[in-house]
Amino acid sequence: RVKVNEKGEVVNINLPNARVREILNKFNILVQDSITSSNKKDLWTKVTEYWRQTIEMVRSKKFNDEDISSFQDVADTFFISWVKLHGEEGITNYIHMVGAGHIALYLKI
């Protein structure tokens, strides 16, 4: 069930991880059908793919230095694209952790 606040904004969507991955894998269908600006459509398509790649990479069980470097390259590309779409207001704690390299640092431990 989706909750909506008094402004009509969707809040607190809780889904199982497998369902979220399924949605992300098909998110570009929603982007193609709902965004009219070709520039924004292109950015959303790219940012969604970068996020999907980032999550897939971090789900691995073992990491070497090359894996971690590749992860951070994709994460940086995601972060830059995300900020182009949303500006500083779009930098949540989780987005910050990805873009600032905190997750890559954790993978080295």
Side-chain angles (χ1 to χ4, degrees), residues 93-104:
N93 290 342
Y94 295 114
I95 301 297
H96 164 78
M97 288 175 62
V98 170
H102 298 317
I103 294 174

Side-chain angles (χ1 to χ4, degrees), residues 47 50 86 97:
V47 79
Y50 298 139
H86 301 288
M97 288 175 62

Side-chain angles (χ1 to χ4, degrees), residues 36-49:
T36 57
S37 163
S38 61
N39 185 42
K40 284 228 180 199
K41 187 180 293 193
D42 185 48
L43 280 172
W44 268 107
T45 299
K46 288 177 182 175
V47 79
T48 303
E49 177 58 21

Side-chain angles (χ1 to χ4, degrees), residues 26-28 35 42-43 45 48 56 66 76 95 100 102 105:
K26 297 178 181 178
F27 195 78
N28 285 336
I35 298 176
D42 185 48
L43 280 172
T45 299
T48 303
E56 278 185 20
E66 185 178 325
D76 289 344
I95 301 297
H102 298 317
L105 181 61

Side-chain angles (χ1 to χ4, degrees), residues 53-73 75 97-98 101-109:
Q53 289 176 21
T54 300
I55 294 305
E56 278 185 20
M57 293 172 87
V58 82
R59 289 180 64 224
S60 297
K61 303 292 183 209
K62 295 181 182 179
F63 301 93
N64 59 36
D65 288 342
E66 185 178 325
D67 296 333
I68 295 168
S69 179
S70 294
F71 163 79
Q72 193 59 52
D73 287 345
M97 288 175 62
V98 170
H102 298 317
I103 294 174
L105 181 61
Y106 176 78
L107 296 175
K108 289 183 179 188
I109 298 174

Side-chain angles (χ1 to χ4, degrees), residues 1-33:
R1 182 174 174 156
V2 176
K3 295 181 183 180
V4 179
N5 67 16
E6 60 279 351
K7 295 179 183 178
E9 300 166 330
V10 176
V11 295
N12 295 333
I13 299 174
N14 295 310
L15 298 171
N17 188 14
R19 183 72 172 135
V20 172
R21 286 195 313 263
E22 182 181 333
I23 291 167
L24 280 176
N25 287 337
K26 297 178 181 178
F27 195 78
N28 285 336
I29 295 169
L30 178 63
V31 169
Q32 296 304 315
D33 290 346

